[in-house]
């Protein structure tokens, strides 16, 4: 690509990202129609084949670009979410959250980092691929999904459930971060726990162990739980982690409540999986109910479970992306992330994924989100080369 053409392409990527940022698309808050409409218009104007994805209720949850190659082979996918985290305290921002302005080399606004710039980049890569598609094996899908920041992953689920879509051999997700290709992540097991007790007057002469006190004891049992460390034999570099993320019970001052509800989040690993996590919680519940009996047993309601995942550096699509990033002049390392992400959902479907490589950023999910544009040509070249290498290999 000539220097002038490259400059024009990067300017076009940035302009599309700006338009996306200027359409608020906070997960569970905003209507996704306007932001997806920007993408539909751009894809139509550039003759890139695409179609809408809807969930079981008929709600629009994403767009799917499909570019079939002219030769048999595997399909690969690029994925970028175009919904975002909420703005938080807008008065704390030094620019409007839907700015879209470029200032001193930074693209400003919610979604600049996660992941509207990646969506713009992947649309352009798809357009670049069209003229040479006949010579390529398999095909390329680009998933532009919403309902990601709600953790519902409606777009990804609709894509995987779509019988008309070719199932991808692997997915590269456009989360940001210049120095790392994320090749794995801890899984999770989540549950809501309802702790019961007799209710009573807080001033009563009768001693009552209320639900909040019982729940506090339960938290202490969890804090004392013996979680394994890193198992060097598994090759997974992070240990499991347990967190109590919500604690609600009672109202006012004069009543000791009969119910306290907790949310428990356990990050899992190959050697401490969802079964181990649930076993740990059930053991703690049994100890609680034995030590501080109540008329009604403590209830556990599992909410979500995703497996951990980790690709070797020589597995695809990790190998293609790591190699392409290095060839683009970037120094990157493979990383296993602590938080779970859409890669875990894909892992549960048996689909390998990378879950992050992109531009340097600040303010992700916080105030003053921005992405640094200086390395956009190299990041673009890395993804484009990785896609071409996979599709040429068949």
């Amino acid at each position: 690509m000539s220097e002038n053409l490259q400059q024009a392409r990067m300017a076009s990527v940035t302009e599309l990202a700006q338009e996306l940022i200027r359409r608020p698309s906070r997960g569970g808050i905003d209507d996704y129609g306007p932001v997806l409409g920007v993408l539909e218009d751009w894809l139509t104007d550039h003759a890139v084949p695409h179609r809408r994805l809807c969930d079981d209720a008929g709600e629009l949850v994403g767009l799917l670009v499909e570019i079939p190659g002219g030769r048999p082979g595997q399909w690969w996918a690029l994925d970028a979410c175009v919904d975002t985290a909420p703005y938080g305290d807008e008065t704390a921002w030094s620019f409007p959250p839907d700015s879209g302005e470029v200032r001193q080399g930074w693209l400003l606004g919610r979604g600049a980092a996660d992941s509207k710039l990646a969506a713009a980049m992947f649309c352009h890569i798809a357009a670049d691929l069209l003229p040479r598609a006949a010579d390529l094996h398999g095909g390329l899908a680009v998933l532009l999904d919403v309902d990601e920041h709600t953790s519902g992953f409606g777009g990804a689920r609709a894509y995987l459930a779509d019988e008309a879509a070719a199932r991808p051999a692997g997915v590269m997700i456009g989360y940001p971060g210049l120095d790392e290709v994320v090749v794995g992540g801890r899984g999770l097991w989540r549950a809501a726990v309802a702790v019961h007790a007799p209710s009573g007057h807080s001033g009563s002469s009768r001693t009552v162990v209320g639900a909040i006190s019982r729940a506090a004891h339960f938290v202490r049992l969890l804090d004392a739980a013996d979680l394994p460390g890193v198992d060097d034999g598994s090759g997974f570099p992070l240990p499991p982690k347990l967190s109590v993320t919500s604690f609600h019970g009672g109202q006012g001052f004069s009543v000791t409540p009969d119910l306290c509800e907790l949310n428990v989040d356990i990050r899992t690993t190959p050697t401490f999986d969802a079964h181990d996590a649930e076993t740990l919680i059930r053991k703690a519940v049994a100890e609680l109910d034995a030590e501080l009996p109540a008329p009604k047993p403590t209830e556990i309601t599992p909410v979500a479970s995703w497996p951990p995942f980790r690709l070797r550096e020589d597995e695809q699509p990790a190998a293609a992306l790591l190699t392409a990033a290095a060839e683009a002049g970037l120094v990157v390392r493979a990383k296993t992330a602590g938080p779970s992400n859409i890669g875990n959902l894909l892992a549960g479907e048996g689909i390998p994924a990378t879950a992050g490589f992109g531009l340097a950023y600040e303010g992700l999910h916080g105030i003053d989100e921005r992405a640094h544009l200086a390395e956009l040509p190299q990041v673009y070249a890395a993804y484009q080369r990785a896609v071409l290498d996979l599709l040429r290999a068949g």
Side-chain angles (χ1 to χ4, degrees):
M1 185 183 295
S2 70
E3 184 175 348
N4 288 341
L5 183 57
Q6 183 189 67
Q7 289 177 351
R9 186 54 47 87
M10 296 308 104
S12 180
V13 170
T14 303
E15 288 168 8
L16 179 55
Q18 289 177 293
E19 290 302 307
L20 296 174
I21 292 168
R22 290 168 182 154
R23 272 64 170 190
S25 53
R26 294 163 291 178
I29 298 174
D30 296 310
D31 178 10
Y32 302 136
V35 72
L36 291 174
V38 169
L39 291 167
E40 285 184 302
D41 289 346
W42 191 93
L43 293 167
T44 299
D45 289 345
H46 291 79
V48 178
H50 62 280
R51 57 190 174 90
R52 292 185 169 194
L53 292 172
C54 296
D55 62 15
D56 291 339
E59 295 294 323
L60 180 61
V61 289
L63 302 175
L64 182 64
V65 173
E66 294 169 302
I67 301 178
R71 301 177 181 181
Q74 295 178 313
W75 279 68
W76 302 88
L78 297 171
D79 171 39
C81 62
V82 290
D83 68 328
T84 72
Y87 294 154
D89 181 4
E90 294 185 44
T91 65
W93 287 64
S94 61
F95 48 82
D98 59 355
S99 166
E101 181 183 351
V102 175
R103 186 186 302 169
Q104 297 180 332
W106 291 88
L107 176 62
L108 309 181
R110 179 64 84 223
D114 184 14
S115 294
K116 292 181 175 181
L117 189 57
M121 184 169 57
F122 291 168
C123 286
H124 282 75
I125 289 174
D128 287 345
L129 202 67
L130 273 175
R132 63 182 88 179
D135 296 326
L136 301 176
H137 296 267
L140 174 69
V142 178
L143 174 62
L144 304 163
D145 60 333
V146 291
D147 194 36
E148 192 265 10
H149 283 82
T150 64
S151 295
F153 297 140
R157 293 182 190 278
Y159 169 42
L160 296 175
D162 191 332
E163 294 181 357
R167 194 169 184 83
V171 178
M172 292 178 281
I173 305 165
Y175 296 134
L178 186 63
D179 301 325
E180 299 160 339
V181 172
V182 176
V183 299
R186 286 188 293 203
L188 61 78
W189 182 85
R190 290 173 174 165
V193 180
V195 179
H196 302 277
S199 62
H201 197 292
S202 59
S204 172
S205 60
R206 183 171 62 92
T207 300
V208 176
V209 180
I212 291 177
S213 294
R214 294 188 77 239
H217 185 70
F218 177 65
V219 173
R220 287 193 292 271
L221 291 172
L222 296 183
D223 287 342
D226 185 20
L227 292 173
V230 174
D231 182 351
D232 293 333
S234 73
F236 200 84
L238 296 171
K241 182 181 180 182
L242 186 156
S243 302
V244 176
T245 58
S246 177
F247 191 107
H248 296 286
Q251 185 177 5
F253 295 90
S254 63
V255 176
T256 56
D258 58 4
L259 175 66
C260 187
E261 296 175 308
L262 302 86
N263 289 344
V264 180
D265 177 284
I266 300 180
R267 301 301 165 127
T268 60
T269 68
T271 55
F272 189 85
D273 61 14
H275 173 76
D276 298 316
E278 183 168 358
T279 298
L280 184 152
I281 296 302
R282 293 196 179 279
K283 179 182 177 183
V285 162
E287 289 184 36
L288 170 68
D289 289 349
E291 294 175 16
L292 297 175
K296 190 175 181 180
T298 301
E299 298 169 305
I300 303 169
T301 304
V303 172
S305 179
W306 296 342
F309 76 101
R310 186 170 187 266
L311 304 184
R312 299 188 315 271
E313 293 182 31
D314 61 351
E315 286 184 89
Q316 299 293 14
L321 190 52
L322 286 163
T323 299
E327 290 175 349
L330 297 170
V331 179
V332 297
R333 66 183 181 90
K335 177 187 177 181
T336 300
S340 304
N341 54 62
I342 201 169
N344 298 87
L345 174 68
L346 294 166
E349 296 282 338
I351 299 171
T354 60
F357 166 67
L359 295 179
Y361 63 90
E362 294 179 356
L364 184 73
H365 287 201
I367 63 169
D368 286 356
E369 182 177 339
R370 64 187 79 193
H372 198 240
L373 295 173
E375 291 81 14
L376 178 58
Q378 292 163 285
V379 172
Y380 188 95
Y383 271 110
Q384 186 179 55
R385 185 170 299 170
V387 167
L388 285 172
D389 287 347
L390 290 167
L391 295 177
R392 285 170 177 156

